[in-house]
Amino acid sequence: MQPSVAGVIVCAAIIVFVLLMGWSMIVAFMASLAFGATAIGTLSALGGSSPQIYTVFAALLLTTAVARKGIWRELAAVFSRIGAASVIVVLMFHALIGAILFPRLFAGQTSVFIASRSSRGVYETALGPSSANVTQTAYFTLGILVFVALCLLLRRRETLVDVRRGFFLWFGLHTLMGMVDLAGKMAGAGDVLAPIRTASYAMLTLTIEGGFWRIAGSYAEASAFGAVSLAGLAFSYTYWRRTNSRFAAAIAVALFLLLLLSTSTTAYVGMALLGIPVALSLLRSLASAKPGLQDVMLVVLMALLCLVIMAVSLYNAQFFEPLVRLIDQMVTHKMSSASGQERAYWNYKSMQAFFDTNGLGIGLGSSRASSWPIAVLSQLGVVGGTLIAMLLAALLWPPGRLRQPVDAEADAIMASARASALAALLAASLAGGLADPGMGFFVPLAVVMACSARIWAPPLPRGHAFDGSGPQLSAHR
């Protein structure tokens, strides 16, 4: 392995910051998720794969969870109270076996698209084993292990405060780096975050669309930045609605503006779809006898925004023309573009591979699609798709919600985490090429499952060590 100096420096900075603040490894792990193109090194043995820095913190998190006293008793409590834990472990073994067996069993019987690290990009070839079977299965397995580890650490009721801190540090850093990236490009400094982009895949960061700089933040391209921004917007908006947190409101506003300027089709379509339940909620509230103050504030702000847009248009009819042209190019005519047609063909070939294998799948990492549900069916087959559907059902309708409710702060964290996971899956469904839903799904799923099952052990004594415990919960005000 060839280590990345920048990756090591970022890891060290996160650890020092979290230790100085007296926070837990959960916060450090979630903060590392904000660095989407920062690798810890390059693995030549796996075709030049470059693990992101969050893998280091995931390993530390797993060590923290396994080192707990009474680990087997606590594992038994997790699996007895959280039905999704058993489902996700079965899914892990299904993915492991499929990644090894299916590319060999169906080798040459269908064609797939795979990503090359050379100048070939994504190209079509006959199905067969590849290094992506190893790397993507490793990431998928790591995500499931992190799910179990978080469920273990959330046995302590006090750990929720660090989960909240972790989410806000994750999306706060993401927002900050998006602003820095945009400011650097507008100032003519180019890609100012290039030193931390140490991953081995292609970086599409210095691109212009319709006269606008594409915002990549800490990621390799604008679509990845837009996908995480949607998850962050969903989390912060939901948390603000539940707690009236000013900090959450500030992040939500900043992410909303960055998404508008991102020039990402995923961002624009995702915001439009996420806006549907928000609009319905506002209409329901306004139709009631006593609408909430937040709802009235949102409606007033939207009305003022419309008035400002109308006034600017009357003053200068051509002012918004570049923006309208950009949206028309990125959304309306996206599917008719060469890129849109190419991605549609990836999905077609992925579904053809699904049918060619009689619904068994071609193995995790064997192909590339352009939509997460299609990638799941193509790679994991009917069995894997059913297991993931069960996890989605548990996320939407956790069984613990049928019992007595949790306190207001825990309920706010749970609702915000659920919104974040659903937004992440929505973005992946629009443009995700992998079957692995990623940490943006597994982390919120663990939070929702642990909160709804209320598997908390008795509180720890004051002054407990660096294991995920923390002070009593309090909202950001």
Side-chain angles (χ1 to χ4, degrees), residues 98-180:
I100 297 171
L101 179 62
F102 294 155
R104 292 167 174 81
L105 180 64
F106 300 111
Q109 297 185 27
T110 189
S111 61
V112 295
F113 277 91
I114 62 174
S116 170
R117 299 188 186 277
S118 64
S119 58
R120 296 183 67 183
V122 178
Y123 64 96
E124 187 174 2
T125 186
L127 175 64
S130 68
S131 61
N133 294 123
V134 178
T135 55
Q136 291 188 29
T137 303
Y139 279 121
F140 188 72
T141 302
L142 183 62
I144 291 175
L145 294 177
V146 165
F147 167 87
V148 177
L150 283 175
C151 288
L152 279 170
L153 294 174
L154 283 165
R155 285 273 291 152
R156 296 297 176 188
R157 171 67 173 77
E158 299 86 351
T159 306
L160 274 175
V161 73
D162 277 324
V163 168
R164 186 199 64 203
R165 287 169 176 159
F167 271 115
F168 278 112
L169 187 56
W170 174 10
F171 295 129
L173 286 170
H174 173 81
T175 304
L176 176 62
M177 287 187 282
M179 296 169 67
V180 169

Side-chain angles (χ1 to χ4, degrees), residues 419-472:
S420 173
L422 292 175
L425 292 182
L426 171 63
S429 299
L430 293 172
L434 308 177
D436 179 9
M439 291 295 178
F441 172 73
F442 290 123
V443 171
L445 179 65
V447 174
V448 172
M449 293 297 97
C451 287
S452 61
R454 293 184 302 284
I455 57 172
W456 296 307
L460 292 173
R462 285 185 176 275
H464 192 69
F466 188 74
D467 72 339
S469 62
Q472 293 299 313

Side-chain angles (χ1 to χ4, degrees), residues 137-270:
T137 303
Y139 279 121
F140 188 72
T141 302
L142 183 62
I144 291 175
L145 294 177
V146 165
F147 167 87
V148 177
L150 283 175
C151 288
L152 279 170
L153 294 174
L154 283 165
R155 285 273 291 152
R156 296 297 176 188
R157 171 67 173 77
E158 299 86 351
T159 306
L160 274 175
V161 73
D162 277 324
V163 168
R164 186 199 64 203
R165 287 169 176 159
F167 271 115
F168 278 112
L169 187 56
W170 174 10
F171 295 129
L173 286 170
H174 173 81
T175 304
L176 176 62
M177 287 187 282
M179 296 169 67
V180 169
D181 180 48
L182 178 60
K185 291 170 179 175
M186 293 183 67
D191 186 6
V192 295
L193 296 178
I196 66 170
R197 303 186 204 277
T198 59
S200 60
Y201 34 82
M203 300 292 168
L204 305 176
T205 56
L206 287 174
T207 56
I208 297 177
E209 196 72 53
F212 293 85
W213 281 106
R214 306 202 73 187
I215 304 175
S218 62
Y219 291 82
E221 58 180 353
S223 61
F225 174 82
V228 178
S229 296
L230 284 173
L233 177 61
F235 179 90
S236 53
Y237 174 80
T238 305
Y239 192 85
W240 170 68
R241 291 297 301 265
R242 296 295 182 110
T243 67
N244 204 29
S245 163
R246 294 178 182 177
F247 185 68
I251 290 182
V253 170
L255 284 174
F256 178 74
L257 294 175
L258 286 173
L259 282 167
L260 286 178
L261 298 171
S262 67
T263 72
S264 166
T265 304
T266 301
Y268 295 153
V269 177

Side-chain angles (χ1 to χ4, degrees), residues 390-431:
M390 293 171 66
L391 295 178
L392 280 174
L395 178 69
L396 291 169
W397 304 285
R401 301 280 287 178
L402 299 177
R403 311 186 192 111
Q404 62 184 24
V406 294
D407 64 85
E409 174 67 8
D411 190 61
I413 295 173
M414 182 168 61
S416 303
R418 181 189 296 111
S420 173
L422 292 175
L425 292 182
L426 171 63
S429 299
L430 293 172

